[in-house]
Amino acid sequence: MGQKTLLEQTQHRISRLVPKQRTLLVMTRAHEPFYPADVKALPLSEMLIQPQNKGTAPAILCSLLRLRDMDPAGIVAFFPSDHYFPTIKPSRAIWNLLMPQPPPFRNA
């Protein structure tokens, strides 16, 4: 699997498609000892830390509520980082089919 954590691998996979400042990391407090140093250094506005792991649906709902507050017209995509995907390489062409003209980033 390499030297990078699953989270770091996911961040790398999407970095060509989504600017870093437009990502929100959703993590659980119990995993905090395993956060890489660059994640620990992120501003709180780029993280959503769940006090307890209540499963995927609550994590998605909480992140959607946070993102709605940040940018009500924003487009959302989810990129799970809790599984290993050895051959998935996001394609700019596929991304453009899904979202041909993303709205400009609004920093609230």
Side-chain angles (χ1 to χ4, degrees):
M1 288 184 6
Q3 300 298 317
K4 293 185 177 191
T5 66
L6 294 175
L7 176 59
E8 290 168 323
Q9 291 174 37
T10 302
Q11 289 176 304
H12 178 74
R13 267 196 315 275
I14 67 169
S15 66
R16 291 169 289 165
L17 305 175
V18 181
K20 190 172 184 173
Q21 70 272 17
R22 293 205 61 160
T23 61
L24 177 67
L25 300 180
V26 182
M27 301 169 287
T28 60
R29 184 150 327 276
H31 293 147
E32 193 167 7
F34 307 106
Y35 299 170
D38 60 332
V39 168
K40 291 178 182 179
L42 288 174
L44 291 176
S45 62
E46 295 179 19
M47 294 188 290
L48 178 61
I49 309 297
Q50 302 174 87
Q52 298 177 16
N53 184 3
K54 296 293 184 178
T56 302
I60 288 173
L61 178 59
C62 287
S63 63
L64 289 172
L65 292 171
R66 167 78 77 81
L67 293 168
R68 180 195 62 188
D69 291 344
M70 293 169 71
D71 185 355
I75 295 172
V76 176
F78 289 92
F79 300 95
S81 63
D82 58 347
H83 298 286
Y84 177 62
F85 300 102
T87 59
I88 294 179
K89 294 179 183 174
S91 162
R92 174 63 74 179
I94 292 172
W95 185 261
N96 288 340
L97 285 174
L98 296 172
M99 292 185 253
Q101 303 226 342
F105 176 60
R106 281 183 252 154
N107 193 1

